[in-house]
Amino acid sequence: MAENGLASRLYNGEAGLNIVGRRKLWFGVAGVLVLIAILSFSIRGFSLGIEFAGGNSFQVPASVGTLDDAEREVNSALAAKNTGVEVVTAQKVGGPGGDSYELRTPQLSAEQATAVKAQIADDLGINADQISNNQVSEAWGSQVTERAVLGLVIFIALVMVYLILRFEWRMAVAAVASLITNLILTAGIYSLVGFEVTPSTIIGFLTILGFALYDVVVVFDKVQENTRGITANNNQTYGEAANLAINQSLMRSLNTSVVALLPVGGLLFIGAGLLGAGTLKDLGLVLFVGMAVAFLTSILVATPLLALLKNYDPRIQAHNKRVLTRRGGAGRGEVAGKGAASPAAQADATDEPVDQDAAALAGAAPKVGARPAGKRPTGARGGRPGGGGNRPGGAKRR
């Protein structure tokens, strides 16, 4: 029984998962999630770091105590100077002078920042020279965003050109749609959960595009292999061949995603979580979320969308009709005679791959207008009577 388990069938490409046939379900789920993400963009927005919203950062030596102690003292100093703001984020960072705590606050004036720095030094009992105070303008974040958007546009344009030259324009459209869906869903998770958006997040967004594209190209390469010369035979529709390609490459895509997520997970949960390397958190988080979403979109969005686009091709339409007509003609034999729907009717109604047993019965059924094969009946009501008797125009000899 273990040899026939799901893992074994996935590894051999024999799982028979009907991904393309249920594309309406995947498109519906993806559409709802994209709508939720867009609504979150409009209502909640994003939690922008000081690089984008502007603000101040104070760095104090880690020798003053724990990170919570440092955050509590900085908040106390902010309240004492009547700034009306609190610490937004706090993390442990390393540097040439040793470990320190970086605490970020909303925008402060130069006078307020100087007064708060002096108050922090007085409360912690350290020299004011040991505290670093930096002010970040939101203009710098705007420049980063503009360059990131420009890089995204150039990347998508190059991807379109490459996929058109390597495959065809329909595959390029399906791949880019999958990439855009991946970006929207990942950004939606950031908006809904409230993860902070930093320049590292933007870099991570551009990085996951390359991973998502690789996963899509792997599947599309198998689709191209399965559908090469498909119109020369009447065995499979384009959707069935594409669905077979997904099953054959699913285990490879899953292994690639798991192998990629393991080091990213270590970067996020061990480096940033346990070891306190806060500078790794932003990059690790967006990579982990984006790669997980990229695996799902490359399987559930890209290839089903490709099959949908190909079904509008007149050559593929004619081929699919020939396949279904052939099965329908064969299915009028024993299977249809029992009152069950023929495999062609099932495929036409649901666009699901035809069951192998039903296909075998359909392949063995006689063609339309052909005389049924089998043993010819004998006797008076059967075929030609034996003994030469009762021939037309003659009498039986005695």
Side-chain angles (χ1 to χ4, degrees), residues 132-287:
S132 174
N133 173 32
N134 298 311
Q135 187 173 13
V136 181
S137 173
E138 59 181 358
W140 185 82
S142 300
Q143 294 177 358
V144 173
T145 304
E146 291 176 0
R147 293 178 182 179
V149 172
L150 178 61
L152 176 62
V153 172
I154 294 175
F155 177 83
I156 292 179
L158 293 177
V159 166
M160 290 286 292
V161 173
Y162 167 75
L163 291 178
I164 291 174
L165 296 177
R166 174 65 178 83
F167 298 107
E168 59 166 313
W169 70 266
R170 293 178 184 86
M171 287 188 174
V173 171
V176 170
S178 174
L179 294 180
I180 294 176
T181 303
N182 183 23
L183 284 179
I184 294 176
L185 294 182
T186 305
I189 293 175
Y190 259 73
S191 177
L192 286 171
V193 180
F195 295 145
E196 187 179 33
V197 179
T198 66
S200 298
T201 305
I202 303 301
I203 296 173
F205 267 98
L206 298 178
T207 304
I208 62 176
L209 288 177
F211 176 82
L213 177 63
Y214 168 78
D215 214 15
V216 170
V217 169
V218 167
V219 179
F220 280 4
D221 187 68
K222 194 63 179 179
V223 171
Q224 187 183 53
E225 178 183 338
N226 286 0
T227 58
R228 185 178 291 113
I230 191 173
T231 56
N233 62 74
N234 296 328
N235 298 327
Q236 283 183 316
T237 65
Y238 189 93
E240 292 168 355
N243 191 77
L244 177 62
I246 293 179
N247 281 272
Q248 291 172 334
S249 57
L250 183 60
M251 198 64 186
R252 178 178 177 180
S253 297
L254 182 60
N255 289 336
T256 302
S257 300
V258 171
V259 170
L261 285 173
L262 285 177
V264 174
L267 182 74
L268 176 62
F269 299 109
I270 298 178
L274 298 180
L275 302 182
T279 53
L280 302 176
K281 181 184 67 174
D282 300 333
L283 181 61
L285 182 61
V286 68
L287 289 179

Side-chain angles (χ1 to χ4, degrees), residues 12 29 35 37 45 47 53 70 86 92 107 113 131 157 165 167 191 204 212 232 257 273 283 329 341 347 394:
N12 295 320
V29 172
L35 179 60
S47 177
E86 293 182 346
K92 184 178 181 180
Q107 191 76 45
I131 301 176
L165 296 177
F167 298 107
S191 177
S257 300
L283 181 61

Side-chain angles (χ1 to χ4, degrees), residues 56-58 60 73-85 87 103 105-106 108-124 128 131-133:
N56 291 72
S57 66
F58 297 92
V60 299
E73 293 298 335
V74 172
N75 278 327
S76 175
L78 290 169
K81 298 303 178 181
N82 299 318
T83 59
V85 300
V87 173
L103 303 104
T105 69
L108 297 174
S109 64
E111 294 78 9
Q112 288 177 323
T114 302
V116 169
K117 177 180 177 180
Q119 185 66 43
I120 294 174
D122 185 60
D123 292 343
L124 294 176
I131 301 176
S132 174
N133 173 32

